[in-house]
Amino acid sequence: MKELLRTLVEIPAPSGYESQVRSQIREWIEPLVDETRVDQLGNLVAVRKQTGAPRLMLVAHMDEIGLMVTHVDQKGFARFVPLGGVMPIHCVGGRVRFLNGVQGVIGVEKNPSSSEIPPLEKMFIDVGATSVDDCPIRIGDVAVFERPFVDLGKRVVSKAMDDRVGVAVLIEALRRIERSVFETYFVFSVQEEVGVRGATVAAFGVEPDLGLAVDVTATGDTPKGHRMEVRLGAGPAIKIRDAGMLADPRLIQWMVQTAEKAKIPYQREILEFGGTDARAIQLSRSGVAAGVLSIPCRYVHAPSEMVDIEDVENAVKLLIHLLQTPAPLEHRH
Ligand code: CO
Ligand code: ZN
């Protein structure tokens, strides 16, 4: 699991530029499914067929937050806008890597008040150029944070746990599962971090009876952290609500009962901010029952996101049990 995660998180894939990670995932899963396709937005859709069974859409997003260059000045300094929820507090002094391999440092204009966090507009990327003419970066180029994967033993850290850990859970479930009570669509979505855009079109195309996103959620277990019950190491979380959705109560119950029956630790999750691809599934066509299996993650959207490897293992186990447990829903297909 750690090696799978390490490979996945080191591939740069800012929103809208997921092709490298998509090729890697496709190579791994193609032998494990009946069919794979890539839609016009770039979502990778893989199917395990089961005629007559309810159609379940599982989704994990391939993209990660990043930066896009908006301007390069005469001296070769690049200005940028965020791709997704980049927080200024995590930027200054950090390093970025462009898709063409160029690396850069994030600097900031002289700050009149050193106690305030400067906004992204006051920051720039310095790639070591001396002028606009020798600057290897152009308007529209995209970068991700440069921060290597770290194995701390029970816990692992990366810039892109959100949501490569969800991708890893889906791949591991595919590798281990033999039978399912569903016709299952494994969707690896694009552009989640810029507003669940990939999952929106994928859900329309798949037309599922029910859907589950596998994504990270925040925790409340750090010093003076969010007032939130979820913590690392206490099992995957079953989402009840976030800022984007109220999870379907029938699916919450299905997930809770399945976890209890299989004796897999789980947590009940209320997240006061944020959202996932499950929102897009829930609101597609005339409405779809949707829920989320969450991986607790500290420092979400910082360049060092931390998860507990046992939570990841337990998420795989729970997902495999869910695939073998009928959901309490009527279905159309
Ligand atoms: Co995110
Ligand atoms: Zn995410």
Side-chain angles (χ1 to χ4, degrees), residues 234-313:
I238 295 168
K239 191 183 296 288
I240 297 169
R241 160 299 165 198
D242 62 26
M245 83 182 300
L246 300 167
D248 192 296
R250 296 166 297 180
L251 296 192
I252 296 171
Q253 199 190 11
W254 169 61
M255 295 168 81
V256 165
Q257 286 175 349
T258 304
E260 285 179 355
K261 197 161 160 244
K263 299 196 163 52
I264 297 166
Y266 71 94
Q267 317 184 60
R268 296 167 71 84
E269 174 203 343
I270 302 279
L271 182 66
E272 295 189 10
F273 46 89
T276 72
D277 279 341
R279 173 189 166 85
I281 299 176
Q282 188 174 46
L283 299 183
S284 74
R285 293 185 180 259
S286 53
V288 174
V292 183
L293 179 59
S294 295
I295 315 297
C297 181
R298 287 181 185 163
Y299 324 120
V300 175
H301 288 196
S304 298
E305 301 174 324
M306 182 187 292
V307 299
D308 185 298
I309 205 75
E310 279 175 39
D311 290 341
V312 185
E313 270 298 330

Side-chain angles (χ1 to χ4, degrees), residues 166-210:
V167 169
V169 167
L170 256 54
I171 292 172
E172 267 306 302
L174 250 178
R175 285 177 175 168
R176 296 186 207 172
I177 188 132
E178 279 157 25
R179 337 163 257 106
S180 170
V181 297
F182 301 103
E183 171 152 279
T184 311
Y185 285 69
F186 292 81
V187 176
F188 301 90
S189 64
V190 295
Q191 300 191 32
E192 190 270 354
E193 297 291 358
V194 290
V196 298
R197 297 178 192 171
T200 301
V201 302
F204 186 91
V206 168
E207 210 180 340
D209 294 301
L210 67 161

Side-chain angles (χ1 to χ4, degrees), residues 118-132:
L120 297 179
E121 299 82 76
K122 294 203 180 289
M123 299 178 196
F124 49 81
I125 300 168
D126 182 348
V127 293
T130 56
S131 79
V132 65

